[in-house]
Amino acid sequence: IEFRTICDHVYELLNTIDASQCFFDIHINYDLTKGYLDLVVTYVSLVLLLARAEERRLLLGLYQCAHEMSHGASEPSFPRLAQMVLEYEHPLKKLPEEFGPHTKAVSSALLSLRAPFLRRCRDAELWRQEQLLSLLGPAGDMLSPVTSDSMACEYLSLEVMERWIIRECCHCLSVPNPPVRVPKPSGQGPQPFLGRVPKSCFYPRPLERMFAQTLDEPSMLRFAIAFPLLCAHFSRCQHPMCPEEYPQLEAAALGLCHKFLEELARVGSGCVLDACAEQHNLSQQLLPKHCAATISRAREVARPSEVLAGLGAYMGLVQRLGHLVALDTARLLRAVLLQQSHPRDGSGQPTLTAIYTDWSVYLEALLRQASTGAVLLSPALQAFTTVPREEQPPFSAAEFSDVSEMRALAELIGPYGMRFLSENLMWHVGSQVTELKKLVVENMDTLVQLRCCRAEQRPALLPRLSSAENVLKRMTIIGEILSFRAMAQQGLREVFSQHCPFLMGPIECLADVVTPDTDIQVTLSIFELASAAGVPCEVDPALVTALAGHRTEAMSPEEDYKVSCLLLVFVAVSLPLLAADPASLYNPELDGHNNNVHCLAKAIVQLSAALFTVHSKNIETHLKEFLLLASSSLLQLAQEPDKARLRNQDSIVLLLHLVGTWGHLGGTPGTPGDTWGDT
């Protein structure tokens, strides 16, 4: 009822003003014009508020029932109120009709705002050109309310004038979306734009469409930041008579601002990624492989050195970008690179670590081809090399496994990634050891006799062994895997020494002070620390962990220890079989054998150390037993009448010498090794 009374009084006042033929001009009669415009805007706001109220008819019915119950009669003015609610159900149609008689007064009042509004919307450059900001210009032209001809107009806020224009033009005079001129951020003159006005917060869809058009237009993209800044003014659009609108305006402002900023961040990140991709492409064109077409071949995954070069191009651009914008590039790069050292990043996507540990180059193509003889380990080159054949393999093994590539791989995936790679490799080693133990169990009785019998009795027992070639093959595969891991660890050690020399020194010193008398758990802890930095250890902690995890549950520790001992016996008595293989010939250029059997030395030494560490047994004793059986078997081979079986006896003797040199009863090649006693 109060609402109806207010509307009646306002409409009566507007009719009185028109009948009196009042003239409105903000420069001449400031107070009268301002009051008139405020009256119109307030009336329009009340009508719009009534239209936005839900269940208006239900509320009117409840009010009528309550009035009849309280007073015994209906409210006299209720029919007039009900008629008003029905008429203003669509205020955008009703208001222009209602304000038709007042168009002249409203238009004159609004048109008088043109000069002060345009003057307030001019950017700083135009102010300077017109001497409005110049201390040397005429006092009357300076931007100062004191010296202005219309001093009161200078104190009008731009927001109030925009509210007058939007509300009265749109709702009273039937002018759809009147252009409001607000200054550009870049100072290039006024820009027609539905800016910081109350209508924007109540009509977000047109604002979102304008934002999308701004993003699509390259020349307007730099002005897109004005949209989230606009949202900061929504909370000030609250009318004094409608304080309950503040939570809604605040929620609308936060929602739109968040949406605009998310979209700007997406577009900005896309621009940065495009620039980084361009820098990466330019870096790729400078690689040596593009210098000649004959060595430029497509690959599924690039070499680690190529990826590292591209990553350097990305980092360089991001760091240069940090000098232009407020961006903490150091923190950003650290966060991204740290995620790349884990199998999955923050969003669950595969990283460089996952690619280079799961991809078939290292675990399938390279190592699997090494097991077939297509790829050979060359200690002289410190890399795997591809055997020349008529059918060229899909890639050159040396391009992915030489010293520089191992350094690049360690640089890319870091210590965490190298540890993940080691765990993956050791899982394959554990699987091979499990299969070897099954073969030992199948030949248990014969191996026990071979271990205890005299040398002259062995020739009669050897034919009873089955799958001896399979044992040698699986041991060779284990040696190839361990050799590749050693190369990767060496790359990690060099990178770690370059980045953290102050940490590498203490770690190496700590590993040197370990003796056979040191507690085995303390020893493994120190070796695990050293291995994480790439330092080689006499007992590989990753291999110990893998073998301990692959122990057969149905087998007791004593039986498992017996199987481990007999595994060395199986390998020792099977070595003479390699002499008959033509591929066992020693190749001086590779400093190895043509069938990779020189990898047996590393497999025998490291596997023995890990197996007997798991069982807390003496490593020296079991290696002595292996050398005794192996040397005795090779000596008996010299008495073989079939000369074909003696074809590469010298090469196998070199292999046995390599086992003794590498192991030296528990040590590393070229250094006197310590012995590891019982714990």
Side-chain angles (χ1 to χ4, degrees):
I1 299 302
E2 294 177 358
F3 175 79
R4 181 210 62 199
T5 304
I6 293 173
C7 291
D8 289 342
H9 290 170
V10 170
Y11 197 70
E12 182 181 355
L13 180 58
L14 292 175
N15 289 333
T16 303
I17 292 174
D18 281 345
S20 303
Q21 296 184 356
C22 295
F23 175 73
F24 298 105
D25 192 315
I26 199 70
H27 300 90
I28 300 175
N29 47 6
Y30 172 81
D31 293 330
L32 181 61
T33 303
K34 181 179 183 300
Y36 180 75
L37 292 174
D38 285 338
L39 175 65
V40 175
V41 168
T42 302
Y43 179 71
V44 172
S45 300
L46 288 175
V47 173
L48 293 177
L49 178 63
L50 175 64
R52 293 177 59 189
E54 299 179 359
E55 306 294 343
R56 295 180 296 276
R57 299 183 181 182
L58 179 61
L59 293 175
L60 288 175
L62 291 176
Y63 171 77
Q64 176 67 5
C65 293
H67 192 279
E68 290 182 354
M69 294 175 62
S70 301
H71 301 86
S74 61
E75 210 278 330
S77 302
F78 179 77
R80 173 76 178 90
L81 177 61
Q83 182 65 27
M84 179 179 291
V85 171
L86 292 177
E87 290 177 354
Y88 285 95
E89 187 168 0
H90 300 287
L92 298 181
K93 296 181 180 179
K94 180 63 177 177
L95 283 173
E97 299 176 0
E98 186 174 352
F99 273 87
H102 314 300
T103 302
K104 181 178 180 181
V106 175
S107 299
S108 62
L110 289 176
L111 289 175
S112 66
L113 297 175
R114 178 180 178 86
F117 186 81
L118 292 180
R119 179 173 177 175
R120 297 285 295 281
C121 287
R122 291 177 182 175
D123 56 14
E125 185 62 30
L126 289 178
W127 285 352
R128 293 189 186 96
Q129 293 177 6
E130 297 179 2
Q131 305 260 335
L132 296 179
L133 294 179
S134 175
L135 297 178
L136 303 178
D141 294 338
M142 292 180 62
L143 189 65
S144 174
V146 178
T147 60
S148 174
D149 295 334
S150 55
M151 181 177 65
C153 297
E154 302 298 338
Y155 290 107
L156 268 176
S157 69
L158 194 62
E159 183 179 359
V160 172
M161 287 190 285
E162 290 174 351
R163 184 184 297 114
W164 289 345
I165 296 171
I166 294 300
R167 283 294 171 93
E168 298 183 23
C169 285
C170 290
H171 302 100
C172 302
L173 304 180
S174 299
V175 180
N177 296 332
V180 180
R181 303 178 73 85
V182 297
K184 286 185 179 180
S186 63
Q188 294 185 358
Q191 170 71 21
F193 181 72
L194 192 59
R196 308 185 313 269
V197 290
K199 183 182 178 182
S200 301
C201 56
F202 297 111
Y203 299 94
R205 296 295 178 266
L207 192 65
E208 293 176 357
R209 287 196 297 269
M210 294 171 64
F211 177 72
Q213 293 174 0
T214 303
L215 295 183
D216 294 337
E217 181 63 32
S219 61
M220 296 296 296
L221 189 59
R222 51 183 170 173
F223 305 130
I225 192 61
F227 286 88
L229 294 176
L230 170 66
C231 299
H233 299 271
F234 286 179
S235 60
R236 303 176 187 174
C237 299
Q238 173 190 356
H239 196 276
M241 300 185 65
C242 303
E244 66 276 4
E245 288 186 342
Y246 181 78
Q248 179 184 356
L249 294 175
E250 185 180 28
L254 291 176
L256 279 176
C257 184
H258 183 269
K259 184 175 182 179
F260 290 153
L261 291 177
E262 284 284 344
E263 189 65 18
L264 287 176
R266 184 189 65 80
V267 174
S269 62
C271 294
V272 173
L273 290 177
D274 291 341
C276 290
E278 182 62 24
Q279 292 292 323
H280 179 268
N281 292 335
L282 294 175
S283 174
Q284 289 291 311
Q285 294 177 12
L286 298 176
L287 293 176
K289 70 173 186 177
H290 293 291
C291 296
T294 56
I295 59 175
S296 178
R297 298 189 301 271
R299 298 188 183 93
E300 293 182 6
V301 176
R303 296 160 54 187
S305 59
E306 297 174 359
V307 177
L308 184 61
L311 181 62
Y314 271 82
M315 294 174 62
L317 179 63
V318 173
Q319 289 172 347
R320 291 193 297 272
L321 184 63
H323 296 294
L324 303 177
V325 297
L327 184 64
D328 189 357
T329 56
R331 181 180 180 183
L332 174 65
L333 293 175
R334 284 197 302 268
V336 173
L337 294 179
L338 183 60
Q339 292 186 27
Q340 294 300 314
S341 65
H342 292 76
R344 291 288 185 270
D345 59 12
S347 59
Q349 298 299 320
T351 61
L352 290 175
T353 296
I355 292 174
Y356 281 108
T357 54
D358 295 341
W359 183 51
S360 59
V361 164
Y362 290 131
L363 301 185
E364 291 293 334
L366 191 148
L367 295 177
R368 187 179 295 276
Q369 290 191 37
S371 64
T372 60
V375 172
L376 301 179
L377 173 65
S378 174
L381 301 177
Q382 298 184 19
F384 284 86
T385 180
T386 303
V387 177
R389 292 185 178 180
E390 295 181 359
E391 296 182 359
Q392 187 69 16
F395 68 97
S396 175
E399 293 183 3
F400 285 86
S401 61
D402 61 8
V403 176
S404 61
E405 296 301 328
M406 292 296 100
R407 291 197 197 110
L409 180 64
E411 189 81 39
L412 285 174
I413 66 178
Y416 287 114
M418 295 299 288
R419 179 175 180 176
F420 182 77
L421 174 63
S422 297
E423 292 174 352
N424 202 348
L425 293 172
M426 292 308 168
W427 183 87
H428 288 277
V429 172
S431 301
Q432 294 291 340
V433 172
T434 300
E435 297 300 321
L436 286 171
K437 288 182 177 180
K438 293 179 181 179
L439 297 178
V440 170
V441 173
E442 294 176 2
N443 296 272
M444 179 78 72
D445 296 337
T446 305
L447 291 174
V448 170
Q449 297 179 30
L450 286 171
R451 185 183 187 187
C452 302
C453 71
R454 295 182 178 180
E456 57 272 13
Q457 297 175 337
R458 288 179 192 144
L461 296 173
L462 288 176
R464 301 181 184 177
L465 291 177
S466 62
S467 305
E469 294 82 0
N470 193 2
V471 170
L472 294 175
K473 189 64 176 179
R474 292 185 180 276
M475 287 293 293
T476 303
I477 293 174
I478 292 175
E480 293 165 353
I481 296 175
L482 295 178
S483 298
F484 173 76
R485 180 177 182 270
M487 294 161 54
Q489 288 291 99
Q490 180 61 27
L492 174 62
R493 183 179 188 181
E494 295 179 6
V495 173
F496 200 90
S497 300
Q498 180 182 1
H499 288 285
C500 305
F502 51 89
L503 285 179
M504 182 58 75
I507 292 176
E508 292 176 341
C509 293
L510 187 62
D512 291 338
V513 300
V514 176
T515 64
D517 298 330
T518 307
D519 181 75
I520 187 61
Q521 296 302 326
V522 176
T523 298
L524 290 178
S525 299
I526 295 175
F527 282 172
E528 185 174 2
L529 172 64
S531 180
V535 178
C537 304
E538 295 177 345
V539 179
D540 193 332
L543 185 56
V544 172
T545 303
L547 295 181
H550 280 79
R551 292 178 61 177
T552 306
E553 297 180 358
M555 191 178 298
S556 65
E558 292 77 13
E559 294 176 345
D560 190 67
Y561 167 65
K562 180 180 179 181
V563 170
S564 300
C565 297
L566 294 178
L567 175 59
L568 289 184
V569 174
F570 207 158
V571 175
V573 299
S574 301
L575 285 180
L577 297 177
L578 298 175
D581 187 356
S584 298
L585 180 66
Y586 176 77
N587 189 336
E589 296 180 0
L590 298 177
D591 191 21
H593 300 73
N594 290 334
N595 55 1
N596 280 331
V597 293
H598 53 283
C599 297
L600 276 172
K602 181 176 284 292
I604 293 169
V605 172
Q606 293 197 6
L607 196 60
S608 300
L611 281 173
F612 298 117
T613 299
V614 171
H615 295 289
S616 300
K617 300 299 181 180
N618 188 283
I619 302 173
E620 175 188 2
T621 302
H622 295 85
L623 282 176
K624 282 183 177 180
E625 180 183 11
F626 170 81
L627 291 174
L628 179 62
L629 288 172
S631 59
S632 176
S633 299
L634 291 176
L635 288 175
Q636 288 182 344
L637 184 62
Q639 302 174 3
E640 180 66 37
D642 188 0
K643 299 303 180 181
R645 299 185 61 183
L646 302 176
R647 182 181 305 173
N648 295 313
Q649 182 184 11
D650 295 339
S651 298
I652 305 305
V653 172
L654 289 176
L655 172 62
L656 189 61
H657 175 72
L658 187 61
V659 173
T661 303
W662 272 41
H664 197 69
L665 306 181
T668 55
T671 58
D674 296 324
T675 58
W676 297 87
D678 294 323
T679 56

